[in-house]
Amino acid sequence: IWLLWAIKINNIFYTIKYGKSMTFFLIILMIWAVASLLLRESYLGELSISFLPYWWAAMSIGLLISLWGLWKYLHWKKEEKTRFWIQFSILFVVGFGSILGVFLWKFHNFYNHYQLSRDSQANLKVLFSNIYKDNLGYDELTGTLARENPDVAMFVEFEEHHYEHLKGFLEKQFAFVEYLPWSTSIVVSKYPLTLLPTSVKGQKWRYHYFQIQKGDQHYLAYLVHTSSPTSQRHFNNRNHQLKIISNDFLTMHQASRWENGKVFMVWDFNISPWSKYYEEFSNELSGTMDNATRSFPYYFSWNLAKLLRISGTLEGVPELFFSHIDQLLVSKSLKINSLTPLQFSWSDHKGFLFEIE
């Protein structure tokens, strides 16, 4: 399909004698791709690199157009500046090929690098999702909880109207209910649940730390919903929140983690694995925590087109622009028996259903 589109686009431009326009388009595309790689720490750079798989398609089309143009210059063109355009086309081929290689390496270097322990005995079943603040699918929410029957469920963007409609069901299904309205979060559990201290106080803070006790086994859990980088200010807020969480984890919470403690973090991270800030956070926790979503061959947990549709912003948007911004981090001593994506029809996010030893 990409080859056909590349040939079609190339033929259109050259048929109407817009070779310079095509060259300009390819130059802009290449500069944009390089800038996205080099400026990942910037707000716009991160937004761009967050949709890494689409850069595959863009670089592949650019490469195919360049190859097609080179072939035409070698076999069809008989103009005076043919030698220059052949060299220029070779430069495009090398450039697009190299950038495509970098993007493919980044993708491959993340996925298929975590091994699930399918032979271990599952002890705790956990469900997590960003259910979307205006989600009115109450029956779907209760039906999923009843069908999957998790030991622990954790939701973000859980608003007051959700609590009003689901309170009776949740209190019947789960012995412990911790509703956190100031952070639009909720954690429900069949087993004793204790909210542990963090260094942050105040309204709208979206990071919580829990202890769950099942028999003689203790689990430590983080529920995190960092700010969505919809503006430069929110982008800066999110990066600041990541610093606070990593600092709490490495200092304040270190005493509560006994040796080989079983810890997991569920996140609407609002950050992709290809962000510089994700890499910094991951490096700070390296040796302690692994990202279990790396067990997937690929995973896209957020759908921009669906958000635009369900929010009423833009109807009829095609299923494009996915990104991987929801994460599951687990301690080295914690084995995951299974990890399955979970999708609510009224939500723009995919969540997780996972079982741990």
Side-chain angles (χ1 to χ4, degrees):
I1 292 173
W2 293 349
L3 176 60
L4 292 175
W5 270 106
I7 293 174
K8 184 177 180 179
I9 293 171
N10 193 69
N11 283 337
I12 289 173
F13 273 95
Y14 280 104
T15 298
I16 60 178
K17 298 181 181 179
Y18 278 148
K20 291 183 179 179
S21 297
M22 172 57 74
T23 302
F24 180 74
F25 166 75
L26 293 176
I27 291 173
I28 292 299
L29 184 61
M30 188 177 295
I31 291 174
W32 187 4
V34 172
S36 297
L37 286 170
L38 297 180
L39 302 176
R40 290 184 302 147
E41 75 280 1
S42 69
Y43 173 53
L44 294 178
E46 180 181 290
L47 288 181
S48 179
I49 202 68
S50 295
F51 298 96
L52 182 67
Y54 296 92
W55 280 112
W56 287 11
M59 294 300 98
S60 297
I61 289 174
L63 177 60
L64 291 170
I65 291 175
S66 301
L67 287 170
W68 180 252
L70 177 60
W71 185 80
K72 289 177 72 172
Y73 278 121
L74 288 173
H75 295 277
W76 293 3
K77 299 288 182 178
K78 302 297 181 183
E79 18 186 277
E80 295 180 1
K81 295 185 179 180
T82 298
R83 182 178 179 82
F84 169 78
W85 286 110
I86 289 175
Q87 294 173 340
F88 208 61
S89 297
I90 292 174
L91 180 63
F92 275 138
V93 170
V94 173
F96 280 114
S98 300
I99 299 171
L100 176 61
V102 171
F103 286 141
L104 288 172
W105 175 82
K106 282 186 170 293
F107 193 87
H108 174 73
N109 197 47
F110 182 82
Y111 291 108
N112 281 318
H113 283 74
Y114 181 86
Q115 186 67 42
L116 298 179
S117 301
R118 301 189 185 278
D119 56 343
S120 63
Q121 182 65 40
N123 187 52
L124 194 74
K125 187 176 184 179
V126 183
L127 186 152
F128 161 75
S129 183
N130 177 329
I131 63 172
Y132 182 60
K133 60 186 178 69
D134 294 326
N135 187 339
L136 302 179
Y138 308 119
D139 290 340
E140 182 185 24
L141 291 169
T142 57
T144 300
L145 288 170
R147 182 181 68 253
E148 300 297 346
N149 192 29
D151 299 312
V152 178
M154 310 170 100
F155 294 130
V156 296
E157 291 200 25
F158 192 92
E159 301 285 348
E160 187 175 348
H161 67 93
H162 295 123
Y163 188 62
E164 291 175 353
H165 283 84
L166 274 63
K167 180 180 178 181
F169 172 84
L170 294 175
E171 291 178 346
K172 182 179 179 181
Q173 290 287 113
F174 300 93
F176 301 88
V177 177
E178 193 73 53
Y179 175 45
L180 307 158
W182 61 89
S183 63
T184 64
S185 304
I186 192 170
V187 179
V188 294
S189 174
K190 294 180 179 179
Y191 305 103
L193 181 69
T194 305
L195 184 61
L196 300 176
T198 68
S199 66
V200 183
K201 308 293 181 185
Q203 298 293 309
K204 296 297 182 183
W205 181 246
R206 296 178 288 184
Y207 143 52
H208 301 287
Y209 183 40
F210 296 89
Q211 178 178 285
I212 303 164
Q213 182 175 347
K214 182 179 180 181
D216 59 356
Q217 182 63 68
H218 296 262
Y219 300 93
L220 295 172
Y222 291 77
L223 175 62
V224 186
H225 184 197
T226 50
S227 296
S228 177
T230 54
S231 68
Q232 181 71 53
R233 181 171 65 87
H234 291 156
F235 171 76
N236 294 336
N237 287 342
R238 186 211 61 196
N239 297 336
H240 177 63
Q241 291 163 6
L242 290 173
K243 287 291 186 183
I244 291 175
I245 295 167
S246 63
N247 184 67
D248 279 6
F249 179 85
L250 295 171
T251 58
M252 182 179 182
H253 298 160
Q254 188 174 20
S256 64
R257 289 196 310 272
W258 55 94
E259 187 176 357
N260 296 324
K262 298 183 184 299
V263 185
F264 63 91
M265 298 180 174
V266 286
W267 301 64
D268 174 0
F269 223 136
N270 278 315
I271 190 171
S272 78
W274 305 289
S275 163
K276 176 185 176 181
Y277 300 98
Y278 171 86
E279 291 179 2
E280 289 179 353
F281 182 87
S282 180
N283 289 337
E284 288 175 354
L285 271 60
S286 64
T288 307
M289 304 291 285
D290 289 323
N291 192 332
T293 64
R294 299 183 72 186
S295 63
F296 295 121
Y298 63 90
Y299 185 66
F300 306 117
S301 64
W302 180 68
N303 185 340
L304 175 60
K306 190 169 185 178
L307 173 63
L308 295 174
R309 288 201 308 273
I310 62 179
S311 64
T313 305
L314 194 61
E315 300 293 337
V317 183
E319 291 290 325
L320 292 174
F321 299 108
F322 296 84
S323 188
H324 180 171
I325 62 173
D326 297 88
Q327 319 288 347
L328 170 62
L329 276 62
V330 298
S331 59
K332 299 286 187 179
S333 58
L334 183 62
K335 294 182 179 179
I336 297 185
N337 178 272
S338 65
L339 175 60
T340 308
L342 179 73
Q343 178 74 67
F344 290 107
S345 57
W346 277 70
S347 177
D348 53 321
H349 286 257
K350 285 182 181 177
F352 310 117
L353 186 67
F354 58 98
E355 294 180 298
I356 56 183
E357 68 166 4

